[in-house]
Amino acid sequence: MSRLAAVRAASGRISRHRVSSIVICVVLLASTASAVLGLALLAAVDAPFRRAFAAHDGADVTVTVDTSRAGGKQLSATGTLAGVTAVAGPYPEATVRITFGGLALGPRVLAARPSPDGPVDEVTLSAGHWPTGPGQVVLYSGDAGPGEVGDRATVTGVPGVRSLTVVGFASSVTGTADGWVAPAEVSRLRGGGTPPTAQLLYRFADAGTDSQVAADIAEVEHALPAGAVTGAVSWLDRERKAAGNSAVMQPFVVAFALICLAMAVLVVANVISAAVVAQYRRIGVLKSIGFTPAQVAASYLLRIGTPALAGCVAGAVLGNLAAIPVLDHASGIYGVGRPHAPLWTSAVAMAGMLTLTMLAALGPALRAGRLPAVRAIAAGRAPRPGRGYLVHRIATRLPLPRPVGIGLAAPFTRPVRGAVTVAAIAFGATAVMFAVGLTSALGRVEQAQTLSRTVPVQLRPVDGHVVPSAVQDAQAVSALRARPGTKRFTAVYGGDTATAVGVPGIARPVTAEIFGRDASWLGYSMIAGHWYGMPGQVVVDSAFLTDSGLAVGDSTTVSLYGAGTSATTVRIVGEVFAPHETPWLYTGAQTLPGLATRQHLQGYDIALKPGTDPGAYARAVNSQLGNGSRWAAVMPQGSGFYAVATSLITLLAAMVTIGASLGVLNTVLMSTRERVHDLGVFKALGMRPGQSLAMVVSQTAVPALIAALIAAPAAITLTDITVAAMADTAHSGVPADFTQVFPLPRLAVLSLGALAVALAGALPPAAWAARARPATALHTE
């Protein structure tokens, strides 16, 4: 036979068995799309900050200056200092309180920039346009919330209540400001008596370490009059913050991407292998009319390869389309603009899936090519004698309708195909269970990091550089106590470099966060031990234990910087889940009274009574405090990662589940076509459509039960491994409740997912069997 004959044989099979070809195409589409998405995310989390920093000319140092102490010429002259490679500004700025989209955003720094471009810190617009006149503002993209371009933002903290029209949203890779206005707007946003300030953005030749950045800042300070520099922020601080935000995301992306790829590989291999085995009879016919073993294998590989190639190409397109919104959301987490899926991700995904498909088909096709024609026809025509008869006899004795008994015994006549069905259902059910478990675990991680459920409202200073007076502090406490929705609140001190302490065995400073009252209700998750309950007790993060070599239950001393030789002996009673790059310590004001002072007051964490609306509560407190107050009630903004992660989990799980359902459809369809003669006989003897439907659907009942028993422990194990990997990358331990997300009632309900996957795949062939007339069924055979 010629090569053309092999091609014709393959193309004939594609046109005749359209359903099988469509199944292969769609399975490869879903698998390739998930592979592209996973690889794109892996590429996106590979040092995203540094790549974006270079692409958008991020500022090495953001210096805030008092323009009443330094004139324009003096500020411009700093651009010629040794080591300065670029400078932008000065951009006048004002710190105000903003309410937008119904949320009290709290203190925000608004800078006056004529355009988003510039030699340093190019601002990336994600929506709208740059301010063109007074009364307009562009907000940081992370503050969008439920608001939209064109909505009004209320500004308080300045004489009179003002509002600005939000004309756009943007992000700065180095976070130089929280919003941008036209140059003429800043003077109207400054409160009375507030000194005029502006920001200068610098890039230096050497700014790769903290010591180099400190030297750069000192050079600028020395070039300006004394007291002109009121603050300076290093790009390294911004990088560490971005790394902290992504510490949880990176292992999640890696873990789920690898799991999704593994599931896709197995589903594709099962579907293709089953399809090859199903065509043994056809291969036997081809050999009987003169096809050589090589031509038989080539014709079948071509028949598999054509729809597989179409599925891979379509999957690459779908994967790139799906990556657009996911990467767009991820860019908001890092503040890095709009990343895109690299071209290599599509090429690698398509090549990998197509290679996998051909390897899965090659082995069975070569074996079939070597089979004698008679044996190949027999292998594809009917199961081996004796297979499934015992199960059939047992099924007939069960108190079940006869069609159901026949269907239950059907998988045992083709054990390999039954195993394929079990595997396909198990993958889909595992994906569903794993998605639910990981979403629950991430919800608990979010609560532990943001305290969003226990602390829906916080009271924070309008300007973090200005400490509220004792009178203003007393007014704030009185306002909180007077509000009917207040359940409890506690003062929070420190949490920054100003409250760093020294601990023997730890070379770097330890950040201390001090609570004024009982703080056990805040909801911090404990990895080991318990929350402190009396003076002298502290809880620490994992970095503290790693650096010190201490363990829960040990005692140590804590020294306050600048306090001479005074030291306090403390006992570590718990390890808290709080991923940080540096060691942290948490305790009460009675343990470290030297840090629980008003100059270290960070604010108040507030719990509300059930039914109290956080937004309305924050607005009421701010109204009671008045515009002149140095305090602002705000609703803490959580990381956008968790919303992105949840949608991504759902998307990837859906893709795997679709592939699994198609795998079931393929195997049930092949079984139905093989037994179409029996089906025609049954119908001729009086089997009703409903009985035919029940017979075909029940073929998946036993595989679904076995798959559920496999999927439940597999999903639990995958969740535990993924959460542990997330915590390990974040240099933290894992609280027990993060992985205890499968109580028995939930696990029982989720196990029904195996049945849902089985039904989704079995119903189309079952519906065809129910509608088919006896003559049609016999003719099809």
Side-chain angles (χ1 to χ4, degrees), residues 462-488:
V462 173
D463 187 345
H465 301 290
V466 179
V467 179
S469 65
V471 173
Q472 292 170 330
D473 187 21
Q475 290 174 342
V477 172
S478 297
L480 295 181
R481 288 174 176 167
R483 295 309 309 167
T486 304
K487 182 177 182 181
R488 59 169 69 96

Side-chain angles (χ1 to χ4, degrees), residues 573-599:
V573 297
E575 179 185 0
V576 69
F577 177 79
H580 294 116
E581 293 295 319
T582 57
W584 279 55
L585 175 150
Y586 305 83
T587 190
Q590 292 179 314
T591 301
L592 297 176
L595 297 181
T597 60
R598 190 165 51 81
Q599 60 264 35

